[in-house]
Amino acid sequence: MTQADAAVAFARANLERAVADLARFASFPSVSAQPERAADVRRCADWLAKHLAAIGLDRARTEQTKGNPIVVAEWRRRPGAPTLLVYGHYDVQPAEPLRDWQSPPFEPVRRGDCLVGRGVSDDKSQVLAHVKAIEAYLRTARALPLNVVCVFEGEEEIGSPSLLPFLLANRTALHIGAAVSSDGAILDPDRPALTYALRGQLALEVEARGGTKDVHAGRYGGAIVNALDALCRVVASLHDRDGHVAARGFYDGVAPLSAAERAAMARDGPRDAELLEAAGAPAAGEPGYSLYERTTARPALTVTGLSGGYVGAGAKSIVPARATAKLDCRLVPNQKPAAVEQAIRAHLAGAAPRGVRLDVRTLSSSPPTLCDPRTPPMRAAAAAYRRAFGRPAVLVRSGGTTPIVAALQQALDVPTALMGFGLPDDGWHGPNERVHLPTFGRAIETCIWFLDELARTAPAPARPRATAVAAR
Amino acid sequence: MTQADAAVAFARANLERAVADLARFASFPSVSAQPERAADVRRCADWLAKHLAAIGLDRARTEQTKGNPIVVAEWRRRPGAPTLLVYGHYDVQPAEPLRDWQSPPFEPVRRGDCLVGRGVSDDKSQVLAHVKAIEAYLRTARALPLNVVCVFEGEEEIGSPSLLPFLLANRTALHIGAAVSSDGAILDPDRPALTYALRGQLALEVEARGGTKDVHAGRYGGAIVNALDALCRVVASLHDRDGHVAARGFYDGVAPLSAAERAAMARDGPRDAELLEAAGAPAAGEPGYSLYERTTARPALTVTGLSGGYVGAGAKSIVPARATAKLDCRLVPNQKPAAVEQAIRAHLAGAAPRGVRLDVRTLSSSPPTLCDPRTPPMRAAAAAYRRAFGRPAVLVRSGGTTPIVAALQQALDVPTALMGFGLPDDGWHGPNERVHLPTFGRAIETCIWFLDELARTAPAPARPRATAVAAR
């Protein structure tokens, strides 16, 4: 029995305990977007750091940032072996609207084979899959097959503003040779997938202002500018009738798909009908591409929220003086977030009706990413899926964004594997988010095999440079 | 000294007490649109009924309805004299958004010459102006110059659904010969105005539904219908570029303005600049008409609220599955609410993008009204303004809607005077609503003169019909 076999046996025997830990982890309302949840975010970070210490990692701690703490823990007892950075995030999306949940979002409950609660799939079960793999090694072999530093942030859902500064400031001390990010999905419980592309993201908030105050719709309706009406016009102008984004320059630089890649995507990826069933919605969008292509290899612009005027029960007869919309752009190679932002801002300025002022704020921005499947971590991830699932993982693109992956690859030059264990119908960001517990079990095993494979295949690290940049 | 003179002297001497009563009256959050305020509405009705009893009216009571109670009190101690119905409403608009208020909306405070609080101008000071006029007579002459029945409803801001059934069921018992509605405005503290036209109203709620749930904007953005985006397009389609309402048939039947009326409106009504200053907003809307004409003699369609997706702090990356908008149409003679509703519904159905379902609900509906200035109550009102303000009231159109006026005139055939004491910058329906207290004082005096004039000019009533309809 190899050390990895022993770790897998331990993980299987202790799966119920892992599920209980996940339920506890998911009971913290660690919603990074909502300032009033800051204390809950911190309590979640503290719990996670304590848990990392309890399983035997060294120097488990919360690192303070300008925003939410980063949870860090290390195991560096194999001098000369490579160091793997394990990335995940403990923050979650807002749970609202609460009325759509069948059970309270932060009181995780079992329902059939699943655990239901905000964050159980995105990303808490994926964080715990690595943690439980590490625990299985430490409880059986009393050692890991390579050095590890866990870095779990609390700001992924708001664009990771604090993580890159932390990594840059600590790059020498961390001395990372490879990284794995688990914040993705496979195709179904028996179809493992390895992600090689992430879309970038640009999130904007647009505020329209007309008059200085809300006024009576009877007295002034028909005579003055209506900021809400204006904002609806502006939002409507962002797409043409065919579903293309209408902002001039939005598509500049978009890398075309090769015929070979389109064929591979058609062969290996989800079908239109699968995507629509998982989304629970009719199709729309840019013609000429499959839905899988539209959601991963083509950029998109989505209005994710809009509020103006009176939206409570009944009616309030006012001409609204202001309204706010939130826009989410997903970007693909080789779009530049700054150029796209400029294109959208120019379009918005041109679309505003006379007498209405638009203020545009950038909420977050992150470039798209490609991960070369030939790097050691990607090869180790492929081998790990094959061992755990009994069949090879197909290579897939993801439509989502993990801001730190671009930073790891582009700023730190660290080869990174994108693993993922969510399922398409887990309900990420929506109500009744769930995780499929048999898949959670397989995820732990995959993470064990990943450590085993990477330890055997990753090159030994270069000596750390003498210049200390940690103090930056 | 006549009885009216004595009453005016009493009112002047007791103005501060009247202001204190107004502050108490306005401290009840009697928001009819919000079901959670139902108990506050009831407490407000109870307070008002007690106050009417305290000033000496008979049978002061709250009449139960399917909705909010109607406060009724009578004084019928002059057999053979005409009976005047005094109408007003004790319900108020929602105060939201609360952050725009400089002081809590239901804790009225003095600021300079004004009292600030939700409902102080619309309509609580106008209700109290009549109440204090009645009190002044009863405290001085121990009698009113004619019979009076006060009917103050709690559902005006939601379209008065219970009032007409109540009036129809009690028409014989009430035996009304004339009516006065005080829910309007004058031009400025020294320019009294008598309203002869009200716009009608049609309030609709439109709910757009795309998918079955909110889903991740990264995973599905660009591939599925977005209910919020669809609703923005639908709202944007309701007006053409020139500011006309685009729904086919919307303008059918609109009575054109005569050259004489346009000249009178230009001479007597507010200038564009005055309207814009009061509204605090730039101009917009239908070309070819002055703003006074646009807001009173032309119909309008206003989107008064819209909400979809995530609108809290930060961002939540979702494709919204639903969104809701509220529409407010103001109608002019001879538009029919039912025909306009049909035109809007047909337009909405045609404007919905494929894959998006629209549900349209009617919130309230009321026809436009014209009041003939030659009826006894309108003549008495004109005389009363002249006495109290020292100059004649100009005849004006109002852009607002008082649903019961159409019912009084059309269903009950009761000639009605539209008095009003608000000022254009009182901030009706918006934040920091206020009432100008010197004008409140003059309003009480105007109401005293109105009772005096009407008692001398109104014809004696016909004998009540023998058929009892009160039990309907």
Side-chain angles (χ1 to χ4, degrees):
Chain A
M1 197 185 224
T2 67
Q3 290 189 343
D5 287 325
V8 167
F10 177 90
R12 286 185 181 169
N14 289 277
L15 180 56
E16 275 306 313
R17 204 168 47 76
V19 172
D21 288 339
L22 174 58
R24 176 74 181 116
F25 189 18
S27 71
F28 295 98
S30 49
V31 182
S32 49
Q34 297 172 335
E36 66 272 23
R37 293 296 201 185
D40 292 313
V41 170
R42 190 163 293 274
R43 288 194 304 122
C44 187
D46 290 340
W47 179 88
L48 181 57
K50 269 192 198 133
H51 191 72
L52 297 178
I55 67 164
L57 286 171
D58 301 325
R59 299 189 62 220
R61 61 200 189 267
T62 56
E63 293 273 359
Q64 301 316 308
T65 70
K66 284 183 187 166
N68 296 330
I70 298 168
V71 178
V72 183
E74 306 178 25
W75 191 92
R76 295 184 187 273
R77 303 191 191 180
R78 280 197 191 274
T83 297
L84 170 71
L85 182 148
V86 177
Y87 166 82
H89 64 90
Y90 68 86
D91 65 320
V92 300
Q93 282 276 311
E96 287 79 4
L98 299 180
R99 61 177 170 173
D100 288 349
W101 286 79
Q102 288 161 19
S103 55
F106 297 107
E107 298 172 20
V109 291
R110 290 284 271 271
R111 203 168 291 149
D113 272 348
C114 294
L115 185 72
V116 178
R118 167 57 81 228
V120 292
S121 180
D122 175 17
D123 187 41
K124 286 175 174 173
S125 62
Q126 305 202 41
V127 166
L128 272 201
H130 285 283
V131 171
K132 292 294 147 186
I134 290 167
E135 180 184 24
Y137 263 112
L138 292 176
R139 289 288 164 91
T140 52
R142 312 277 159 204
L144 298 181
L146 77 177
N147 296 318
V148 162
V149 54
C150 292
V151 175
F152 300 134
E153 69 160 321
E155 298 182 331
E156 195 274 343
E157 301 291 6
I158 54 172
S160 302
S162 303
L163 186 55
L164 180 59
F166 169 79
L167 292 176
L168 286 174
N170 293 281
R171 63 195 300 175
T172 304
L174 292 171
H175 195 53
I176 302 156
V180 59
S181 163
S182 278
D183 188 20
I186 58 177
L187 295 173
D188 73 35
D190 295 311
R191 280 201 290 167
L194 183 57
T195 301
Y196 67 96
L198 294 172
R199 292 201 286 188
Q201 190 198 21
L202 173 66
L204 303 173
E205 186 169 71
V206 186
E207 182 171 14
R209 287 183 167 271
T212 56
K213 60 190 175 189
D214 294 343
V215 293
H216 193 295
R219 287 189 163 194
Y220 299 108
I224 60 168
V225 296
N226 178 334
L228 173 58
D229 190 65
L231 190 58
C232 288
R233 287 171 175 276
V234 167
V235 168
S237 78
L238 286 165
H239 289 88
D240 68 17
R241 293 244 152 235
D242 288 335
H244 299 100
V245 175
R248 186 191 303 269
F250 180 80
Y251 293 98
D252 283 1
V254 166
L257 285 170
S258 69
E261 187 169 1
R262 294 191 80 170
M265 289 177 74
R267 186 187 67 229
D268 297 333
R271 314 269 162 264
D272 284 5
E274 282 180 282
L275 274 169
L276 293 180
E277 198 192 323
E286 198 185 17
Y289 294 93
S290 73
L291 300 192
Y292 175 38
E293 290 170 341
R294 284 186 211 171
T295 53
T296 60
R298 299 294 301 173
L301 190 166
T302 300
V303 55
T304 58
L306 193 150
S307 173
Y310 178 74
V311 293
K316 184 182 172 194
S317 296
I318 49 160
V319 182
R322 64 166 175 251
T324 304
K326 293 174 197 274
L327 305 177
D328 177 286
C329 299
R330 297 292 165 151
L331 312 178
V332 298
N334 301 316
Q335 284 179 301
K336 307 275 181 235
V340 171
E341 181 175 337
Q342 203 172 350
I344 306 262
R345 282 178 179 266
H347 179 92
L348 293 171
R354 208 152 56 93
V356 174
R357 203 179 72 234
L358 291 188
D359 290 322
V360 183
R361 288 180 289 275
T362 304
L363 300 177
S364 63
S365 172
S366 180
T369 327
L370 287 175
C371 290
D372 185 338
R374 294 164 301 183
T375 62
M378 284 290 274
R379 284 179 188 272
Y385 278 113
R386 196 166 50 238
R387 299 274 321 233
F389 285 77
R391 56 188 290 185
V394 294
L395 282 168
V396 295
R397 283 175 175 265
S398 164
T401 306
T402 312
I404 202 54
V405 175
L408 283 168
Q409 297 208 145
Q410 292 162 27
L412 297 172
D413 198 23
V414 174
T416 301
L418 300 174
M419 296 175 80
F421 302 104
L423 295 177
D425 56 359
D426 277 354
W428 286 24
H429 295 206
N432 304 304
E433 180 180 348
R434 64 189 186 174
V435 59
H436 183 237
L437 294 175
T439 299
F440 176 50
R442 266 188 168 163
I444 298 170
E445 295 174 28
T446 309
C447 293
I448 292 170
W449 293 118
F450 175 71
L451 295 174
D452 179 65
E453 288 284 341
L454 189 64
R456 289 191 282 110
T457 57
R463 291 176 72 85
R465 291 183 217 122
T467 49
V469 287
R472 273 213 300 210
Chain B
M1 195 185 226
T2 67
Q3 289 190 343
D5 287 324
V8 167
F10 177 90
R12 286 186 182 169
N14 288 276
L15 181 57
E16 275 306 313
R17 204 167 48 76
V19 172
D21 288 339
L22 174 59
R24 175 73 181 119
F25 190 19
S27 71
F28 294 97
S30 49
V31 182
S32 50
Q34 298 172 334
E36 67 272 23
R37 294 296 201 185
D40 292 313
V41 170
R42 190 162 294 273
R43 286 196 304 122
C44 188
D46 289 340
W47 179 88
L48 180 56
K50 270 192 198 132
H51 191 72
L52 297 179
I55 67 165
L57 286 172
D58 300 325
R59 299 191 63 220
R61 63 200 188 268
T62 56
E63 292 273 359
Q64 301 315 306
T65 70
K66 284 182 185 165
N68 295 330
I70 299 168
V71 178
V72 183
E74 307 178 26
W75 192 92
R76 295 184 187 273
R77 303 190 190 181
R78 281 198 192 275
T83 297
L84 169 72
L85 183 146
V86 176
Y87 166 81
H89 63 91
Y90 68 86
D91 63 322
V92 301
Q93 282 277 310
E96 287 80 2
L98 299 180
R99 61 176 170 175
D100 288 349
W101 286 77
Q102 287 161 21
S103 55
F106 297 106
E107 297 173 21
V109 292
R110 289 285 271 269
R111 201 169 293 148
D113 272 348
C114 294
L115 185 73
V116 178
R118 167 55 83 229
V120 291
S121 180
D122 176 16
D123 186 37
K124 287 174 173 174
S125 62
Q126 305 201 42
V127 165
L128 272 201
H130 285 285
V131 171
K132 293 294 146 189
I134 290 167
E135 182 184 22
Y137 263 112
L138 292 176
R139 289 287 166 91
T140 50
R142 311 279 159 203
L144 298 182
L146 77 177
N147 296 317
V148 162
V149 54
C150 292
V151 174
F152 300 134
E153 69 160 323
E155 297 182 331
E156 195 274 344
E157 301 291 6
I158 54 172
S160 301
S162 304
L163 187 54
L164 180 58
F166 169 79
L167 292 177
L168 287 175
N170 294 281
R171 64 195 300 175
T172 303
L174 293 172
H175 194 53
I176 303 157
V180 59
S181 164
S182 277
D183 188 19
I186 58 178
L187 294 173
D188 72 36
D190 294 312
R191 279 201 290 167
L194 183 57
T195 301
Y196 67 96
L198 295 171
R199 291 200 286 187
Q201 190 198 21
L202 173 67
L204 303 172
E205 186 170 70
V206 186
E207 183 172 13
R209 288 183 166 270
T212 56
K213 61 191 174 189
D214 293 344
V215 294
H216 191 296
R219 287 187 159 196
Y220 300 107
I224 60 168
V225 296
N226 178 335
L228 173 58
D229 190 65
L231 189 58
C232 288
R233 287 170 176 277
V234 167
V235 168
S237 78
L238 286 165
H239 290 88
D240 68 17
R241 294 246 150 233
D242 288 336
H244 299 100
V245 176
R248 185 191 304 270
F250 180 80
Y251 293 97
D252 283 1
V254 167
L257 283 170
S258 68
E261 187 168 1
R262 294 191 80 170
M265 289 177 73
R267 184 188 66 228
D268 297 333
R271 315 269 162 265
D272 284 5
E274 282 181 282
L275 274 169
L276 294 180
E277 198 193 322
E286 196 184 19
Y289 295 93
S290 74
L291 300 192
Y292 175 38
E293 289 170 340
R294 284 186 212 172
T295 53
T296 59
R298 298 294 300 173
L301 191 165
T302 300
V303 55
T304 59
L306 193 149
S307 173
Y310 177 74
V311 293
K316 183 182 172 194
S317 296
I318 48 160
V319 182
R322 64 167 173 249
T324 304
K326 293 175 198 273
L327 305 178
D328 177 286
C329 299
R330 297 291 164 152
L331 312 179
V332 298
N334 302 314
Q335 284 180 301
K336 306 276 181 235
V340 171
E341 181 176 338
Q342 203 173 352
I344 306 262
R345 283 178 177 266
H347 179 93
L348 293 171
R354 208 153 55 93
V356 174
R357 202 179 73 234
L358 290 188
D359 290 323
V360 182
R361 288 181 288 275
T362 304
L363 300 177
S364 63
S365 173
S366 180
T369 326
L370 286 175
C371 289
D372 185 338
R374 294 165 300 184
T375 63
M378 285 289 275
R379 285 179 186 272
Y385 278 113
R386 196 167 48 236
R387 300 275 319 235
F389 285 77
R391 57 190 290 188
V394 293
L395 282 168
V396 295
R397 283 176 176 262
S398 164
T401 306
T402 311
I404 201 54
V405 176
L408 282 168
Q409 298 207 145
Q410 291 161 27
L412 296 173
D413 198 24
V414 174
T416 302
L418 300 174
M419 295 176 80
F421 304 103
L423 295 176
D425 56 359
D426 277 354
W428 286 25
H429 295 206
N432 305 304
E433 180 180 347
R434 63 188 187 176
V435 60
H436 183 237
L437 294 174
T439 299
F440 176 51
R442 267 189 169 163
I444 298 169
E445 295 174 30
T446 310
C447 293
I448 292 170
W449 293 119
F450 175 71
L451 295 174
D452 179 64
E453 289 284 341
L454 189 64
R456 288 191 283 110
T457 57
R463 291 177 72 85
R465 292 186 216 119
T467 49
V469 289
R472 272 210 303 208

